[in-house]
Structures are given as C-alpha cells and as structure tokens.
C-alpha cells in the first residue's frame, strides 16, 4: 500500500478537501508545530490502494532575505544590495518550524499531491514544499512518477473530485517568475528604502513615518494619487455659460430642455424671447443596457471600495475567508469569461431558497438562463462565483455584504439585458437647438437583482408630432464655473493600476494598503485617497531626480518580462540581471542627486526631533535654540522658526558662551575628535555669510572679520603647505596640546605641547610673511634653550621652534630649517594681509623647498 502525502495552502482548506475526498471517513490529529492538522484516510490512488495523509502549510514556507551582515543598515552600503549581497531562503515563520513538520510527515511517503492555491504564488509554494519533503520521501524507481499537482477553483465536491481525477504537474516557470519578483522587490526596495530612510530619518522631526519606503509597485501607486493631487492644486476655474430653457406642453406641467451645445466659454449668445417654440423632431428608440461581465478580482475590489466602503486589503481578506469556507470560488482571477462546461445552473440552484433573490432565481431556472457575455479569458481561474447558499446569520457583517454582492452579480450575468424605450424630442428657439429625452423601462432584466443599475424613473414625455408648438415657460443664460477634480477613490486607483500593469490581482490590495500604512496617503470620506505632505514630497522628489522611478512605465515593462518567465518565453537569470542593472544605475544617480529631493523636504518638514536639546542662544530672540543631533545635525529656533545648518560628521558643543560680534548669536564649537581639528562658528554667519569673500558653510576659521578674536584675521598663521588655498589657523581651544589646522584640507600641525599660552602676534615674518607666534611655557616644562619661558618667532623659519612643530596627515620628518632667525618687525596689520584683514602669507621659493621636506 502506497502512502500519499497531500499538502494544501491553509489548515482549513486541508480539512475541507480531506472531508470531501474521504467522504467524511477520516481521522485527524494535530501536527508537531501545533498550527497544522493531519487528516488520514484510506482510499484508491491511480488504481492502487493507498494511505492518504492530508495536511497543510500556512502560506509561504520560505522567504527570501540577505545573509548575515547585509541585513545591517549601518554596516553595508545600500548600493551593494543590487549585486554583491548574497541572498538565501529562510523559513517564513521560524516559530512554526514548518520545514521540520513537513519532513516528519513526509518521511516514508511514496508520492505527494500538491493542493496549493492555483496561481503563481501557489506554484512557488509547491516547490518550497518539495524542497522540504523530497529528501525524506522514499526514493522512486527510475521512471516512477511521485509528484502530482491538483488544479481546482472552488471547494466543492465536484471540483475537488475532478481535480483528484486529473492530476497534473507543478509549473516550474510560474514558480521562477515569483522567485524573480521576490528578488527584484527585495534588492530594489531595500536599497532605495535604506538609503532614503537613513538620509531623511532624524533629519526631519515630523515626517510621521517610521520607514521612508520605496517599492517598484508601491511608488507608482503613490504616483497616481499625487498626480491627481497636483491637478487639483493647479486647477484654475473657468467661467462658462449654459442656456437653460423650459417649455410647458400642458398648463400644469413643464419640460426642462437640454441645450445641444451643452456649454460655451464665451458669452457671445443672443437670448431671443419668443412666446412659443416649434417641435423639430420626435422619435422613439428601443435601447438595451447590457448585463455585467462575469466578476473578476479587480472589479470585486472596485465595487467593495466604491459601494460597500471596504478597503481592498480588507475585502480581499474577506473573500479569501469565504473561499476557504466553500462559499465562493477562488477570489484571485483576471478572467471574466465562463468556460463552456461550467455548471451555471448548478450554482444558480444553490440560491433558489434565499429570500432576497429566490423569486428571481426560480424564474430564471424555469424560463431558462441567458448565457453570460463573452469576456476575457486569462487562462487562470473561472470568474468569482457563489458556490453554496449562505445566510446573513452565517456570515455576518462585511462577510455577508461581500457575499451578497458576489451572488447578485452572478445572478445578473445569467439574467436578461435591461430594455427600455427612449423618446427624444428636438426643439429650436431662435438659432439654438434643444433636446429632451425620456426613458421608459420595458423589461428590467438584470436590474431587478442589481437595482442600483436601474434606469432612473423619469416623467414620460407627452405624445406630440413634428411641427407642434409649445409655450416657452422660461429661457435664461446661467453663468457657472468649472470645478476641480476630486481626489482619487480606491476604485479609480485600482482601475489605473490595472490599466498600467502595476501589480497583479493579488498584489494590488497590498500596494494600496502599503501607501496607507506608510502615511503617504490618508483615506478620506468616500474612500478617497488624499496624499500627505510626505507622499507629495517623495513623488515630487522622484520626478525631479528620475521620473521613471514613479511613472508606471518601467514597472509595467518588468511585469511583462516576469509574465514571459512564467510562460517559459524569457530566461529567469537574464531578466533578473538586466532589471537589476537598470535599477542599480538609477540608484546611483538617485544618491548623487538626493539634494534635489532634500530641498523639497526642507520646505515641507521641520527638522525638530524628539532628541533635540537646548544648546545655544539665538541672536534674534535670545532664546535657546535646539540642537538636533541626528544627521544632518542642525540648530533650530522654535521661537523664530529658523533652522541653521551645521558642519557634519563631528560633535557640536557650546563655545564658552561667547557671542558673535556681528549678530549676537552664541558661538558653537565643532570638533572631529581629539585627534582631528576643531573650530568655532557662528550659526548665523555659517548659513548667511557676512562678507562678500565668504561662502555659506564657513566657520570662524575662514571668517574675514578684521577684529573678531575668533576670526581668520586674528588666528591665521600662514598658508597651508599642502593645499593651494588653505590657511593654517590656530586652534585656541586645543591647549595644552596645541595645534593649528588648515581651514580647507586635513593638514594638522601639533606644536608647543604643554605651553601655558599660545597666541598669534600682530607681527609677521620677513621671509615668509607668516604671522609670528608668541609662546609662554611654565618654567618646569619649558623646552626653550637657557631655561627661557617665553619666545616669539615664526614657526616656519625660527630654529628655536624647529623641534617643537609636528605635522600630521602626511608622511613627514623634521627638516633642517633654512633662512635663520625670523626678524621681528613692528609692522602693522596691513602688510601681508588682504583687504578686510585676511591673512595672505607669501611662499618664497627657497622656503617652499624647505617645507616640502614635511611631505615626502
């Protein structure tokens, strides 16, 4: 006797299928993971006696993820996620120990029948199950088949038994298309999400989103919502005019006429006041309003949102529950065409006793049903159909409301079309023509079961003939204005996503739910989606940097390639490599251009953060400004509502409560660490340069103020010996380990360790024009010759300072100083300095030769 393992996608499905196949003669037990049950029975399998073990998984067994360190946001450059970062399959829910459970149940089995959902995701789960159980199953003979796939669309006796009698094989290509989508979404989504989250998170305090996520489908979905928002914001109302006329065919009745020109945008209309109008034309037409196409997923989601007030994600969850309970057929389908062999009457008979539609159903069964309209056959599943009767008490709430709609829609598809008689009367008043239309239903057809599609009740038009005269009751010119469009409804968004190929019938609800969860849109009354500031700025930023990141075109093209993989017409590895290469290039460009999006962020969001703390006083209001430590660090004055950028990649602290002489802001000290350089800066001057020769982002070590004790003019010593434009500036806070640092590059010069005081002299060196330095040592620690404690000289030219100067950030050795003792001249500040007080030391050729020895 063979042992056959059968696996469904959910525990409830496994139980229902086993009950049908075993005719209720089965035993059940809990599996080792506690979440899945095992139902066992004996029966026949391909002509042989067999012992069946029916169990299930709980959705995907495995999930794709990066290995080890690549899951760390801080240790890995997001750009590496496109190709360098290896991936692996991990258990989707480790607590369920699903792989171990499947192996325990699969051990010793001869065959496996896969009852996973019949879509691409289901095919992918088939191979996840096979990877777990095949190693522990009995080894087959060389030609013996052991893997079978059941194809079904509903949990009914007929469908399940038919699937068992016509077993096929799992589709490797469809599974590969899902693998490709998973890897693309993982690599692309994680790279962009990590980068923009790290960049903007903390930089702005009121983004109101824990994750600034990007998704190849999610972002175009958001793009549709923002596009509508932009149309609303840019809308300019226009004035137009409508000519309204009313005639009185009888004394106590009137007809409102529709103007044939509808409306005009210029007022060049002459109103002719006449007592009567002549009937120009009068005719009848038999018209038909067609019954709906059979129901697919997208249409169900549209109606659930627009008419039932259910979000797509919620509606899909309810539909899945109705399916697993056997009330409806499989709810994920793109098809709107019933196959020829579909038992329409059988499904209809199930509804014959429901009090809401029993009369309509019985009439259809007795008079004969109409064949549903020919729709689209996507080759997946039949349209969504009620498979068994239900009551409101059974399903309750939203479950019943969705089931009721599905049932009414199905009954409507096999009902007759709605027929009505349309009467049209044409009038002329002067040069203008008017029309009046009346409708009378002759056969309601499907509108009896779907009354919301009924032809509106209108007053019947009087019988008349061409040439009849009618008294004119009123004619007037109405001035109106055009109105802006409204925000997209979920139903409209679903339509756009389907039209542009964004997502699948299964994933569309997920993408819409994601943009709501991320706080990119809010759901307003009428299920309308209004973008938040964050959603708007993100989309505008993508448009500014690379419009293809938000337009539906590129994702639509990717979806087509994934479909070709599923059909076996495209190579999995080639599609993956090509698509990742495209997005990798886009990512690098996005990173290089992120300042464009940041400019938009700065307009809409405040850089305040919960971690902000009072640090220094504002020069305008003299209140404390908050220091926002998260990158990019900045100061914010909540009273003035001003934000001041600060130098990055270092620490900021208050600088002795000293104030800038120009604007009265308290100075702060930036430092790259004890071994790096530091300098004070005025927050206001750093963002608003006070002098023409200064640029934004300059600290006090570059400030050309002629008298400020912290400026370049007062602390600058000499031109940097490594870079062209830099000046070595004394770090007056560095004692007793004194240093000077270039205000342009990373050169640092350590000198005069343990000196009590170091200051820049107003005098300059005769040889190199560098400022002289006055040094004061404690007697016990003085390295000066002759036990001297004070000396003044040029650090470049004075041999006394030769061994007291050490240069960092370059290979160096102490040179033999050339040029001898620098002469101390009593010159004023003017010589050797630019206008405005900026130091401008000269570089004599012989001196440069000597200094070059520092940088061998």
């Amino acid at each position: 006797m063979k042992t056959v393992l059968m696996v469904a996608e959910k525990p409830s499905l496994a139980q229902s299928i086993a009950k049908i196949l075993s005719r209720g003669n089965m035993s059940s037990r809990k599996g080792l993971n506690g979440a899945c049950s095992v139902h066992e029975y004996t029966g026949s399998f391909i002509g042989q006696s067999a012992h069946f073990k029916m169990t299930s998984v709980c959705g995907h067994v495995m999930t794709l993820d990066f290995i080890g360190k690549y899951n760390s946001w801080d240790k890995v450059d997001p750009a590496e996620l496109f190709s360098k970062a290896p991936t692996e399959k991990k258990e989707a829910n480790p607590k369920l120990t699903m792989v171990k459970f499947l192996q325990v149940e699969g051990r010793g089995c001869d065959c496996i029948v896969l009852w996973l959902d019949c879509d691409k995701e289901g095919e992918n789960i088939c191979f996840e199950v096979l990877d777990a159980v095949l190693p522990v199953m009995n080894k087959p003979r060389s030609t013996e088949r052991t893997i079978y796939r059941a194809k079904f669309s509903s949990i009914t006796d007929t469908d399940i038994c038919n699937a068992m009698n016509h077993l096929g094989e799992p589709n490797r290509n469809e599974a590969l298309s899902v693998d490709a989508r998973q890897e693309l979404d993982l690599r692309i989504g994680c790279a962009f999400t990590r980068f923009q989250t790290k960049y903007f998170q903390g930089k702005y305090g009121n983004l109101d989103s824990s994750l600034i996520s990007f998704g190849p489908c999610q972002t175009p979905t958001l793009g549709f919502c923002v596009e509508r928002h932009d149309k609303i914001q840019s809308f300019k109302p226009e004035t137009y005019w409508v000519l309204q006329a009313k005639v009185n065919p009888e004394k106590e009745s009137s007809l409102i006429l529709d103007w044939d020109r509808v409306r005009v945008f210029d007022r060049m209309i002459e109103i002719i006041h006449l007592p009567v109008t002549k009937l120009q034309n009068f005719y009848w037409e038999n018209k038909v309003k067609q019954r709906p196409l059979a129901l697919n997923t997208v249409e169900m989601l549209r109606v659930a949102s627009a008419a039932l007030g259910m979000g797509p994600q919620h509606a899909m969850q309810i539909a899945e529950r109705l399916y697993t309970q056997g009330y409806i057929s499989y709810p994920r389908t793109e098809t709107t065409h019933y196959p020829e062999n579909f038992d329409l009457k059988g499904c209809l008979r199930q509804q014959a006793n429901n009090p809401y539609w029993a009369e309509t159903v019985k009439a259809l069964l007795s008079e004969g049903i109409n064949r549903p309209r020919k729709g689209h056959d996507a080759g997946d599943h039949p349209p969504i159909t009620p498979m068994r009767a239900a009551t409101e008490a059974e399903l309750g709430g939203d479950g019943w409301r969705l089931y009721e709609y599905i049932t009414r829609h199905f009954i409507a598809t096999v009902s007759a079309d709605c027929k009505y008689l349309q009467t049209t009367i044409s009038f002329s008043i002067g040069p203008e023509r008017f029309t009046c239309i009346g409708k009378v239903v002759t056969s309601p057809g499907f509108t009896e079961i779907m009354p919301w599609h009924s032809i509106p009740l209108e007053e019947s038009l009087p019988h008349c003939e061409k040439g009849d005269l009618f008294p004119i009751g009123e004619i007037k010119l109405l001035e109106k204005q055009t109105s802006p469009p409204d925000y997209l409804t979920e139903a409209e968004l679903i339509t756009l996503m389907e039209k542009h190929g964004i997502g699948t019938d299964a994933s569309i609800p997920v993408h819409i739910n994601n943009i709501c969860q991320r706080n990119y849109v809010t759901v307003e009354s009428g299920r309308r989606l209004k973008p938040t500031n964050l959603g708007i700025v993100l989309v505008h930023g993508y448009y500014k940097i690379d419009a293809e990141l938000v337009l539906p075109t590129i994702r639509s093209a990717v979806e087509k390639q994934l479909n070709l993989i599923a059909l076996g017409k495209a190579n999995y590895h080639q599609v993956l490599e090509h698509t990742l290469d495209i997005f990798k290039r886009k990512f690098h460009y996005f990173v290089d251009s992120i300042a464009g999006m940041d400019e938009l962020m700065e307009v809409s969001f405040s850089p305040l953060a919960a971690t902000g703390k009072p640090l220094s006083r504002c020069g305008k209001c003299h209140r404390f400004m908050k220091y926002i430590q998260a990158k990019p660090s900045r100061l914010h004055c909540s009273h003035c509502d001003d934000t001041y950028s600060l130098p990055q990649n270092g620490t900021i602290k208050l600088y002795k409560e000293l104030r800038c002489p120009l604007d009265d802001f308290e100075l702060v000290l930036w430092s790259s660490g004890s071994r790096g350089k530091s300098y004070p800066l005025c927050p206001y001057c750093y963002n608003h340069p006070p002098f023409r020769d200064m640029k934004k982002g300059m600290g006090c070590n570059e400030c050309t103020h002629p008298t400020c004790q912290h400026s370049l003019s007062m602390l600058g010593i000499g031109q940097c010996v490594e870079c062209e434009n830099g000046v070595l500036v004394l770090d007056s806070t560095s004692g007793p380990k004194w240093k000077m640092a270039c205000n342009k590059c990373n050169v640092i010069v350590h000198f005069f360790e343990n000196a009590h005081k170091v200051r820049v002299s107003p005098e300059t060196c005769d040889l190199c024009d560098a400022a002289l330095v006055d040094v004061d040592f404690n007697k016990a620690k003085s390295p000066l010759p002759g036990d001297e404690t004070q000396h003044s000289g040029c650090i470049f030219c004075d041999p006394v300072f030769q061994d007291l100067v050490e240069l960092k950030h370059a290979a160096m050795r102490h040179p033999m100083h050339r040029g001898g003792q620098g002469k101390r001249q009593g010159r004023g500040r003017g010589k050797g300095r630019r206008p405005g007080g900026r130091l401008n030391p000269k570089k004599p050729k012989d001196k440069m030769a000597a200094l070059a020895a520092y940088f061998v």
Side-chain angles (χ1 to χ4, degrees):
M1 180 183 289
K2 286 190 173 184
T3 302
V4 180
L5 177 67
M6 302 198 295
V7 183
E9 191 158 321
K10 295 177 182 177
S12 57
L13 278 177
Q15 183 178 9
S16 299
I17 294 169
K19 188 178 289 186
I20 291 170
L21 294 176
S22 68
R23 295 190 176 96
N25 188 21
M26 65 182 187
S27 62
S28 301
R29 58 180 169 83
K30 276 286 184 185
L32 67 86
N33 64 2
C36 303
S37 296
V38 182
H39 312 283
E40 299 183 68
Y41 65 95
T42 302
S44 175
F45 184 71
I46 313 179
Q48 299 182 40
S49 181
H51 176 71
F52 292 93
K53 295 168 69 177
M54 182 73 182
T55 189
S56 73
V57 291
C58 295
H60 274 283
V61 179
M62 311 298 288
T63 187
L64 189 70
D65 203 356
F66 296 111
I67 66 167
K69 70 171 187 176
Y70 292 95
N71 280 312
S72 170
W73 286 38
D74 298 322
K75 295 180 181 178
V76 177
D77 182 347
E80 295 182 30
L81 302 181
F82 284 97
S83 53
K84 291 183 180 179
T87 59
E88 64 179 345
K89 290 274 190 176
K90 299 177 181 177
E91 282 205 52
N93 190 341
K95 292 181 180 179
L96 291 179
T97 59
M98 193 61 71
V99 171
K100 182 179 179 181
F101 165 69
L102 290 171
Q103 289 177 343
V104 168
E105 298 303 332
R107 191 175 304 278
C109 290
D110 302 292
C111 300
I112 182 170
V113 180
L114 300 157
W115 289 86
L116 285 307
D117 286 350
C118 298
D119 56 13
K120 291 172 186 173
E121 294 290 337
E123 297 302 322
N124 190 260
I125 300 173
C126 282
F127 287 93
E128 293 174 356
V129 172
L130 292 175
D131 288 342
V133 302
L134 285 182
V136 299
M137 287 174 59
N138 292 336
K139 301 300 177 186
R141 300 189 185 95
S142 58
T143 59
E144 188 178 12
R145 182 181 170 192
T146 59
I147 301 170
Y148 299 88
R149 176 72 161 109
K151 296 281 188 177
F152 58 102
S153 296
S154 62
I155 315 301
T156 61
D157 292 11
T158 303
D159 214 9
I160 296 301
C161 292
N162 187 57
M164 192 65 178
N165 293 329
H166 299 86
L167 295 173
E169 296 181 358
N171 189 319
R172 169 68 72 176
N173 290 326
E174 289 190 358
L176 282 174
S177 74
V178 173
D179 283 337
R181 178 181 281 107
Q182 286 178 348
E183 187 161 349
L184 289 174
D185 289 350
L186 176 71
R187 292 186 182 276
I188 297 167
C190 284
F192 278 91
T193 297
R194 289 186 189 183
F195 171 72
Q196 63 187 28
T197 299
K198 287 180 70 177
Y199 191 88
F200 294 119
Q201 202 66 203
K203 186 170 185 178
Y204 301 97
N206 57 341
L207 294 177
D208 198 22
S209 182
S210 58
L211 197 69
I212 314 300
S213 65
F214 174 93
C217 287
Q218 170 195 298
T219 304
T221 301
L222 174 62
F224 291 130
C225 300
V226 176
E227 182 183 13
R228 176 61 64 87
H229 167 83
D230 291 342
K231 287 180 180 178
I232 295 170
Q233 295 300 308
S234 62
F235 180 83
K236 293 181 179 179
E238 289 185 77
T239 301
Y240 66 93
W241 287 265
V242 175
L243 198 57
Q244 181 177 296
K246 195 182 290 184
V247 297
N248 301 320
E250 298 174 3
K251 288 184 178 180
E252 296 182 359
S253 67
S254 62
L255 295 177
I256 296 175
L257 309 183
D258 296 318
W259 189 25
D260 285 7
R261 287 207 279 168
V262 184
R263 64 181 183 178
V264 294
F265 287 89
D266 59 70
R267 204 178 180 282
M268 301 299 290
I269 303 166
E270 181 182 357
I271 302 177
I272 301 174
H273 295 280
L274 298 173
V276 294
T277 179
K278 182 183 290 187
L279 190 148
Q280 298 291 324
N281 204 355
F282 180 88
Y283 60 92
W284 297 272
E285 277 185 291
N286 286 310
K287 294 258 186 176
V288 172
K289 185 173 184 177
Q290 284 189 312
R291 58 194 181 278
L293 287 168
L295 186 64
N296 66 3
T297 306
V298 170
E299 181 62 18
M300 179 190 72
L301 295 176
R302 270 197 290 255
V303 173
S305 175
L308 305 181
M310 298 182 197
Q313 182 91 335
H314 179 54
M316 203 67 225
Q317 290 169 349
I318 293 172
E320 287 174 353
R321 193 182 78 229
L322 293 174
Y323 161 67
T324 57
Q325 292 173 343
Y327 290 106
I328 64 172
S329 62
Y330 193 61
R332 292 193 179 104
T333 178
E334 297 175 13
T335 294
T336 57
H337 176 72
Y338 281 106
E340 295 297 324
N341 61 351
F342 193 90
D343 187 8
L344 295 167
K345 285 187 177 180
C347 293
L348 196 58
R349 286 191 194 99
Q350 294 281 338
Q351 305 299 329
N353 295 318
N354 189 295
Y356 289 102
W357 44 74
E359 189 177 329
T360 303
V361 169
K362 288 174 181 176
L364 284 170
L365 290 171
S366 64
E367 297 169 11
I369 65 171
N370 290 273
R371 186 70 198 168
R373 289 168 57 197
K374 187 174 182 180
H376 170 66
D377 186 359
D380 49 1
H381 289 272
I384 303 169
T385 309
M387 302 310 295
R388 83 175 210 232
T391 64
E392 188 170 358
E394 284 178 70
L395 304 180
D398 289 345
W400 166 254
R401 293 167 65 224
L402 186 61
Y403 174 83
E404 180 186 11
Y405 172 74
I406 291 170
T407 304
R408 287 182 180 274
H409 191 108
F410 167 69
I411 297 170
T413 62
V414 295
S415 298
D417 292 335
C418 173
K419 297 176 182 179
Y420 60 95
L421 182 67
Q422 180 171 296
T423 306
T424 305
I425 305 176
S426 297
F427 296 90
S428 62
I429 302 176
E432 302 296 337
R433 296 184 64 85
F434 297 84
T435 303
C436 186
I437 296 175
K439 298 173 184 176
V440 178
V441 175
T442 56
S443 175
F446 77 93
T447 62
E448 281 190 326
I449 195 70
M450 299 179 83
W452 54 91
H453 284 302
S454 297
I455 302 296
L457 292 173
E458 296 179 357
E459 188 175 347
S460 60
L461 299 184
H463 181 76
C464 47
E465 294 181 2
K466 185 176 180 180
D468 286 354
L469 297 177
F470 288 80
I472 297 176
E474 180 184 55
I475 183 166
K476 58 184 177 181
L477 189 63
L478 301 177
E479 182 179 313
K480 298 185 177 183
Q481 283 198 323
T482 55
S483 56
D486 211 335
Y487 286 103
L488 282 180
T489 63
E490 286 173 329
E492 291 168 335
L493 178 58
I494 291 167
T495 300
L496 286 170
M497 293 175 72
E498 182 191 33
K499 176 183 175 182
H500 292 281
I502 300 300
T504 63
D505 53 0
S507 66
I508 282 174
V510 176
H511 302 314
I512 296 176
N513 186 62
N514 281 342
I515 64 173
C516 296
Q517 293 293 321
R518 299 283 183 260
N519 195 36
Y520 294 161
V521 299
T522 57
V523 182
E524 305 292 316
S525 61
R527 306 295 304 179
R528 293 192 179 274
L529 300 171
K530 183 179 181 181
T532 62
N533 281 342
L534 179 58
I536 294 166
V537 170
L538 284 174
V539 169
H540 289 176
Y542 295 135
Y543 271 117
K544 190 174 183 180
I545 297 172
D546 182 356
E548 284 192 338
L549 292 175
V550 71
L551 289 172
T553 48
I554 192 166
R555 182 60 192 193
S556 180
V558 171
E559 288 289 347
K560 289 177 182 176
Q561 291 298 309
L562 295 176
N563 287 333
L564 290 176
I565 293 175
L567 296 171
K569 296 179 180 180
N571 182 274
Y572 163 80
H573 296 287
Q574 290 177 352
V575 170
L576 202 60
E577 185 178 348
H578 177 67
T579 306
L580 286 174
D581 182 62
I582 291 173
F583 274 95
K584 184 178 180 180
R585 293 171 187 269
K586 289 184 174 296
F587 176 78
H588 283 296
Y589 184 74
F590 179 74
V591 171
D592 293 340
S593 310
I594 193 64
M597 183 180 283
D598 196 22
E599 289 173 2
L600 300 177
M601 285 280 189
E602 286 180 339
V603 173
S604 299
F605 297 101
S606 167
L608 295 176
T611 54
K613 57 183 180 181
L615 181 69
S616 65
R617 291 185 184 273
C618 170
K620 297 177 182 178
C621 66
H622 301 291
R623 290 177 169 84
F624 278 104
M625 295 187 292
K626 275 193 171 183
Y627 170 48
I628 311 303
Q629 195 169 1
K631 290 185 178 181
S633 57
R634 53 185 62 190
L635 286 167
H636 179 77
C637 177
S638 56
H639 183 264
C640 302
D641 198 23
D642 287 331
T643 302
Y644 301 96
S645 299
L646 296 171
Q648 304 303 301
N649 304 317
T651 59
I652 293 283
K653 62 181 181 180
L654 190 62
Y655 185 51
K656 304 176 183 177
E657 297 185 357
L658 297 173
R659 294 177 182 268
C660 175
L662 293 174
D663 48 50
D664 210 33
F665 275 69
E666 281 189 335
L667 303 182
V668 294
L669 183 72
W670 177 86
S671 174
S672 62
S674 59
R675 296 186 179 183
K677 64 180 183 179
S678 58
Y679 57 85
L681 62 105
C682 165
Y684 189 86
C685 295
Y686 187 83
N687 289 270
H688 305 92
F691 303 112
R692 290 183 179 179
D693 56 353
M694 289 180 65
K695 295 179 181 178
K696 186 177 181 180
M698 288 183 171
C700 295
N701 62 345
E702 292 183 87
C703 177
T704 55
H705 192 289
T707 59
C708 176
Q709 61 178 321
H710 315 293
S711 69
L712 169 67
S713 304
M714 301 300 289
L715 297 178
I717 294 176
Q719 190 163 348
C720 179
V721 292
E722 185 175 80
C723 68
E724 256 327 292
N725 302 315
V727 176
L728 294 168
V729 182
L730 174 67
D731 181 353
S732 58
T733 67
S734 58
K737 296 185 178 182
W738 298 93
K739 60 189 175 184
M740 62 179 178
C742 176
N743 60 6
K744 296 292 185 184
C745 70
N746 291 326
V747 166
I748 297 176
V749 178
H750 292 269
F751 53 19
F752 314 131
E753 186 170 351
N754 295 318
H756 174 64
K757 186 184 295 183
V758 176
R759 69 180 185 88
V760 179
S761 169
E763 300 179 1
T764 57
C765 174
D766 284 338
L767 292 176
C768 67
D769 222 10
L772 303 182
V773 177
D774 298 331
V775 186
D776 187 357
F777 283 92
N778 289 321
K779 189 171 184 179
K781 296 183 178 181
S782 177
L784 298 175
D787 292 331
E788 289 184 0
T789 58
Q790 295 181 344
H791 187 78
S792 183
C794 175
I795 62 167
F796 298 107
C797 308
D798 192 338
V800 174
F801 287 157
Q802 173 181 321
D803 295 326
L804 304 181
V805 178
E806 179 184 2
L807 197 119
K808 295 289 185 181
H809 290 295
M812 78 286 185
R813 59 185 175 84
H814 289 299
M816 293 300 294
H817 285 250
R818 301 176 186 178
Q821 174 78 35
K823 297 180 182 178
R824 295 181 62 181
Q825 303 288 337
R827 293 180 292 188
R829 285 189 166 274
K831 191 167 184 179
R833 298 175 188 268
R834 293 178 181 172
R838 177 128 184 208
L839 183 67
N840 185 25
K842 299 174 184 176
K843 283 189 177 181
K845 290 183 180 179
D846 58 334
K847 184 58 186 172
M848 289 306 99
L851 291 174
Y854 276 95
F855 303 96
V856 176

